[in-house]
Amino acid sequence: MARATALALRGWGRVAPNPLVGAVLLRDGTPVADGFHAEYGGPHAEAAALARCDDARGTTCVVTLEPCAHHGKTPPCADALIAAGVTRVVIAGRDPGAEARGGVERLRAAGVEVTIGTEAREAAAMNAAYLWGVARPERPFVALKLATSVDGFIADVAGGSKWISGEAAREFVHWLRAGFDAIGVGRRTVEVDDPALTVRGAVVPRNVPLRVVFARDGMVPSDGRLIATASETATLVIVGSGVAGRAAAQLGRFGVRVLGADGLGDALRVLRGEGVRSLLVEGGGQLAGALLDAGLVDRLYWIQSPIWLGGGVTAFGTRNAVPLGEALPWSVVERRALGPDTLLVVDRELCLPAS
Ligand code: AOF
Ligand code: ZN
């Protein structure tokens, strides 16, 4: 399953809103073929693996998601596995998708042995945005990415935050951006950092992520990179509904869309209404703190760099302190080195599909 998951991840940035799926065919415990869902609308993982296997009769298929039972853009994977003579299917988790689900029952009805739940948490974490998208239509899956010094600052006392983290971390961030529907920042980050919020890594996303600025007061500087490039890369500014008309008049001429919302929860609802299923928030501290305080962060990507600033802009300017006994533990999704930096990925709550 670890191998199937690693394969599935190769579809990152290319398959959304479909899930990431990888499949491995084994004979007597030895992998004989594998495949993954590489492109939206293209072959599913199981079909890709079967296409690379001369004779799948008697094999076991290990797959990160329940094989589909529907005729969508491609024929049902459950039928393909049955027709190929696969005798056992091991899946990480059910597909909650209304159209596609039901593969397990179809496989079992055909006499295929099915095991569900192998490395279910890992698979659910990998497809968090997809699972969220199916189960929670009221807002996008929200991930917060922060790069901090080892003592927890996102910027020095002068506000400078460029190059806290190293090259490997920056590459990772570009990879990360490619897999999200939208990338968001607070108005102050636009002022201070003048970010481009574009994807400039190895993965070219099928859909360029929408750039979103949260600016309650509507005051977004019009001389920055975001506004200057708004005619090339879709850019949305979410402002308080009372100032939406004024902000639209100011920013609309640069090709920026302006939408009004009352508070962060409402802003997220508006985004979901715009088709955004997953949002990567990249700062700053105030927006991060406000989202965390409101319980609106589902995942945290924390990049910690081995530099000591001794002061500066705190990463987590949250205000809702709780006693240790009442603190909610987050679950660790990933921990790894990014060159000299350290990545920690934690989820507030995993959206596990029913088995
Ligand atoms: C699988 N294997 O590799 C994937 C599955 O639009 P379609 O026809 O490609 O179908 C997409 C749906 O199929 C998607 O929403 C999800 O429910 C399922 N994805 N299923 O058996 C795969 N990618
Ligand atoms: Zn399928």
Side-chain angles (χ1 to χ4, degrees), residues 300-319:
L300 175 67
Y301 291 96
W302 180 22
I303 299 165
Q304 192 195 55
S305 301
I307 54 165
W308 192 272
L309 286 172
V313 183
T314 53
F316 309 108
T318 52
R319 268 167 268 142

Side-chain angles (χ1 to χ4, degrees), residues 34-349:
D34 57 31
F36 63 101
H37 187 39
E39 198 67 35
Y40 179 82
H44 286 184
E46 303 89 322
L50 288 172
R52 297 171 62 184
C53 186
D54 292 336
D55 181 5
R57 279 175 299 173
T59 58
T60 294
C61 179
V62 176
V63 57
T64 58
L65 188 77
E66 174 182 17
C68 67
H70 76 311
H71 281 273
K73 295 177 192 69
T74 60
C77 291
D79 292 354
L81 292 166
I82 295 164
V86 172
T87 47
R88 187 169 171 236
V89 176
V90 177
I91 69 175
R94 287 273 197 174
D95 185 351
E99 272 198 330
R101 68 177 162 213
V104 164
E105 286 68 25
R106 195 173 296 190
L107 288 163
R108 283 185 175 147
V112 177
E113 184 192 338
V114 180
T115 307
I116 312 172
T118 306
E119 299 195 26
R121 296 185 71 80
E122 288 78 0
M126 172 174 72
N127 273 320
Y130 168 75
L131 296 172
W132 184 277
V134 175
R136 308 284 300 267
E138 71 275 13
R139 67 166 174 86
F141 176 76
V142 178
L144 174 63
K145 179 234 103 187
L146 290 177
T148 75
S149 62
V150 78
D151 52 345
F153 296 101
I154 53 170
D156 63 18
V157 278
S161 66
K162 287 252 147 93
W163 322 132
I164 280 194
S165 46
E167 186 55 37
R170 286 200 289 277
E171 256 173 51
F172 170 75
V173 170
H174 282 288
W175 177 86
L176 195 60
R177 284 178 180 173
F180 280 81
D181 290 346
I183 304 166
V185 289
R187 189 261 283 170
R188 264 196 220 185
T189 297
V190 177
E191 265 170 28
V192 177
D193 289 354
D194 191 20
L197 301 182
T198 49
V199 184
R200 305 182 298 275
V203 174
V204 178
R206 187 174 74 87
N207 293 311
V208 175
L210 173 71
R211 303 182 299 184
V212 181
V213 181
F214 294 86
R216 196 174 20 188
D217 60 7
M219 307 296 281
V220 178
S222 56
D223 54 354
R225 289 204 281 176
L226 275 186
I227 306 303
T229 57
S231 54
E232 298 139 40
T233 307
T235 308
L236 174 65
V237 176
I238 304 191
V239 304
S241 51
V243 297
R246 191 194 70 210
Q250 273 166 4
L251 297 168
R253 62 200 153 102
F254 301 104
V256 175
R257 280 189 70 211
V258 175
L259 292 174
D262 295 307
L264 280 175
D266 194 32
L268 294 179
R269 266 190 298 280
V270 165
L271 276 178
R272 185 65 199 260
E274 290 291 301
V276 173
R277 290 184 181 80
S278 59
L279 169 71
L280 179 66
V281 174
E282 297 204 16
Q286 285 214 343
L287 178 61
L291 286 166
L292 285 162
D293 275 338
L296 293 171
V297 175
D298 305 305
R299 171 171 292 177
L300 175 67
Y301 291 96
W302 180 22
I303 299 165
Q304 192 195 55
S305 301
I307 54 165
W308 192 272
L309 286 172
V313 183
T314 53
F316 309 108
T318 52
R319 268 167 268 142
N320 295 346
V322 287
L324 188 54
E326 290 167 29
L328 291 177
W330 292 45
S331 44
V332 175
V333 167
E334 199 179 352
R335 259 188 283 242
R336 76 173 141 119
L338 294 171
D341 305 321
T342 307
L343 171 70
L344 174 69
V345 186
V346 287
D347 276 7
R348 197 164 56 111
E349 131 195 22

